[in-house]
Amino acid sequence: MQRFFSLTVSGLVTGAIYSIMASGLVLAYQTSGIFNFGHGAVAFAVAYFYFQIHTGEGVHWIPSLILSVLVFAPLLGLLLDRVLLRRLAAAPVYARIVGTIGLVIALPALVQWLCEVFGEAIFGLGLQSARVARTTGETPGIGPDERVVFHPFDIAIDNNQIAIFVAAALSAGALWYILRRTRIGLSMRVVVDRRELASLRGINDARTSQAAWVLTMMLAGLAGILITPLFQLGDYLYTGVVFASLFAIALSGLRSIPIAFVGGLVLGVMQNLVAGYANDILPSAIADLSGLKASIPYLATLLVLFIQAGRVKAREAGSVTDERPPRDHREGLSPMRRRLPWVIFTVLLAAFSFQWFGAGWAQADTYEAGLIAKGLVVGLIFLSFVVVTGIGGMVSLAQGTFVIAGGFAAGYALELEWPSWIPFVSDDGQANFMWALLFAAAVAGSIGAVISVLVRRLGALYLALGTLVLAFFTQATFFDYEPIGRSTLGWIIRAPTLDIPGLNELAELVLPGPQDGLDFSQTHHQVLLGFVFFGAFTLLIHSLFRSPTGRAMLAVRSSEVAAQTSGISPAKQKMMLFALSAAIAGVGGALYGMINFTITRGSAPPLLALIWLTVAVTFGIRRPGGALLAGLAFACSQQIFSWLGGDVIGGEDFTTLTTSSFFTPILFGLGAINLAKNPDGLLALVGHERVEKRLERERKARILAAEAAIERKDEAEVDAETVAAPAVVVEGTALAIDRVVAGYGGGEVLHGVSLAVHPGEIVALLGANGAGKSTVCAVAAGALTSTSGRVLLGGEDVTTHAAYQRARDGLLLVPEARGIFPGLSVEENLRVLLRASEEMEKAYVRFPILGERRDQLAGLLSGGEQQMLSLAPVLAQPPKVFIADEPTLGLAPLAAEVVVAAIRELKDLGSAVLLVEEKAREVMALADTVAFMELGRIVWSGPREEADAERLAAGYLGATTT
């Protein structure tokens, strides 16, 4: 029993570490919709700052803690929010994942480079080194520097362990209170639930995002400082703690901080008990596996992920695509212009590698040719990212696993006694290298297919987490198993030789010097092999893009539901993508082992695979050309930066800066972060800027032409672009829309719309579906920026005001899809707009059914009840202007009558109401003024009494009126 209690207590301390990390990650996800893979990197950065001022400068631990957690961490949060996280919130899911993985790589390297390399080289600062700290052990946490051990109930526990546990409990409690009981916490949850609607309800999502990330960074920093004595400032060890805490995160469903906290404690205790009792309860063959105990968190996480798969996957139905295809930066270029730069680059690279130009020209020596060969092979591995992420839109973090599996398979095949009847098998029964490559592709591809079956039901984020956990699990168990991984020695992969008649002559045309066959242990021959395989797989991928299978894969990426209704199986396409991607990585692993002579479990660990992903993303993962540049950059970066620092910039100090081991990860991490702005990577950056400038010029030209036509009142020219609407009379209006031109993605929808609504007046905006009514609402509320024209609220020009500013000024829009937050309770929905208890009570009195269901999630209400919830705060606190977009859409007749009565009541309270409807009959009796829209134009407006059947036909059918 004593042993059990000791293991439990020490497990609770370990679990408290997991709880701290998990709570911070859940907070970040709840408030921003971003799973921050870089949470551990932030913890390291704050702990490193604490170490510099406490241990390095001798500042007492209390002011050091205050400066680190209450000053440095919030400033870091504000900086990251401004340059990265705010943009990531609106990016595709895969961009959010890769962008925060860039933080994992860049942030720890950046803080160490600034302090230990840049500060020393430029300013002569003698700052403390984290590497020295790891060797000396001088990394205290909070509290007295000397370790104090207590023995309650004969269980040894020190002051650092107590601090960790207490801080974890207090942090979790404080966070739960902030999110559930404070105004800022409610705003954070509202922004996550429906960001666009939050802005329409007066919530500044930028400020809310800042507050959320400040809290998250403070929590990460506190966790980093607390666990510093246990990890001695090991930069990637902090990220390892985050990944180990994934069990608690998955258990919480990324929603509940208390569950995440408890899950972390459970994980710590479970891990300790398994480690302590493994030899007693497990068979010796399993208990002796060296990686089993370390892999317990990953195994538990996998089980929870599979159980929660059906519940965490996002809703699939909808009318819009899951991901809008990006604009092709090569748009308008001929096929020759597209291909010519790559032809020139390939020829120059081959000429440099094979010394085609002779003396006096730049030539690759043996060492440089070896780097190019490695770059081509790594580029081949990066092609697997092009397939799974570039084509499939899925982030697989298990590509390193496929590389090692392929390398192990090739090494095993080369030693296996193959039957003599198999073609090209050598006389001693060993397979030649090509058979080994095929075997590597088959093994890695099969593993990829199996993994795809396991993870295909997961959403995009959980798929990335699942593949990451699988990578850590296989690394710690299967690859560490002696018969599979051969311990630290790994598998030897012998370079093949080819001596075929006529091959020598062909080889001499390409390779430098006389050739006696091809010996791929020579670096120049390895370059040739890299060109052949990279070219072959590039052609395969290009063929896939253009094939029906490739189009089916792209259709699944855009919208699984739409693809499925077209007869395409998303599960089949995902499995094919995973299998092909894994097979390419497996072949790359075999070649990677060949040029390195051996491959071990440490050749491509999960964290190196994350670095590979950031490098591939930096140069672009949508096309093979990006993979080629990324592979060469990864292999040759040290030489490139050494040349830049020494020969180009000049000076020993600059060489020190660029050749530091921290410098390259900084650049590659920043390149991955750039994905939030430019999904095609650096490769397409210039092209995208060219396209955007051209589109902007065309847009301005259209606006100028339209304005000139309006000035001339030239109806023939105006009809082509916009309507020559007269300027609206602003005086006495609550809302005035004056000659507004607006659209989406370069397509113009509104062509000079003018409309006015007065206090206590209901203006009904009618028209067929697609006429532009909802666009008018969006422009008025600030959800869509107009390209020209004005929006005035109470006579004040608010055209440049954001949506939340207009909402605070008294303009409220209930959009077509209901103006509620489905993930919040009824009472929380009301609290977004109503703060006083009297106003809340008025809302419940007006709609008693809401009072009965105040604790129920709004998303579980019926359609009519949801619309009541949208209108309740409006009636309790009438706005100056109320805009209702299709308020009766999809409602039963009785529910529609309730909505109409509420709108009439709102008019009587003095609000100006803009009512958008397709159904004319229901609103004609309600409106004071009627306006008809047709294809982005107001074709008629006037008093309700003058809106006869003929005018209705004109508005809906395009008939001509006199």
Side-chain angles (χ1 to χ4, degrees), residues 7 356 415 541 569 646 681 744 775 955 957:
L7 290 172
W356 287 352
E415 295 186 6
I541 292 174
S569 170
Y744 304 92
T775 305
L957 304 176

Side-chain angles (χ1 to χ4, degrees), residues 446-520:
S446 299
I447 295 174
V450 171
I451 289 178
S452 73
V453 172
L454 296 176
V455 302
R456 71 181 181 218
R457 293 191 302 125
L458 304 177
L461 172 59
Y462 275 72
L463 184 145
L465 295 177
T467 52
L468 178 65
V469 171
L470 280 168
F472 275 104
F473 181 72
T474 54
Q475 180 78 10
T477 53
F478 296 112
F479 292 157
D480 199 38
Y481 186 47
E482 176 66 26
I484 296 177
R486 289 192 171 180
S487 187
T488 58
L489 299 177
W491 291 85
I492 297 174
I493 300 182
R494 300 183 303 277
T497 58
L498 293 177
D499 190 6
I500 302 174
L503 187 62
N504 292 353
E505 291 75 10
L506 292 175
E508 288 178 356
L509 295 175
V510 177
L511 299 170
Q515 304 297 322
D516 185 16
L518 291 175
D519 180 4
F520 292 106

Side-chain angles (χ1 to χ4, degrees), residues 72-93:
F72 178 74
L75 290 176
L76 181 61
L78 292 174
L79 176 64
L80 291 177
D81 174 72
R82 176 60 62 89
V83 302
L84 169 66
L85 299 168
R86 197 179 304 173
R87 291 193 315 218
L88 280 181
V93 176

Side-chain angles (χ1 to χ4, degrees), residues 7 30 48 67 96 127 170 231 345 352 367 372 419 485 580 736 771 810 851 874:
L7 290 172
Q30 275 198 307
Y48 185 80
L67 285 173
R96 300 182 207 173
L127 297 176
L170 291 177
F231 293 100
F345 175 78
F352 175 72
Y367 176 70
I372 294 173
L580 177 59
V874 178

Side-chain angles (χ1 to χ4, degrees), residues 630-682:
L632 292 172
F634 179 81
C636 306
S637 58
Q638 286 292 96
Q639 276 57 44
I640 294 173
F641 295 136
S642 177
W643 171 70
L644 287 175
D647 297 339
V648 178
I649 301 176
E652 183 178 346
D653 289 342
F654 285 103
T655 304
T656 302
L657 294 177
T658 57
T659 57
S660 167
S661 60
F662 300 128
F663 190 70
T664 303
I666 292 172
L667 295 185
F668 290 148
L670 293 177
I673 290 171
N674 178 67
L675 183 69
K677 181 179 180 181
N678 183 29
D680 280 347
L682 296 179

Side-chain angles (χ1 to χ4, degrees), residues 908-921:
D908 296 338
L909 292 172
S911 294
V913 179
L914 176 59
L915 180 60
V916 173
E917 270 289 354
E918 284 184 22
K919 306 171 185 176
R921 181 174 301 175

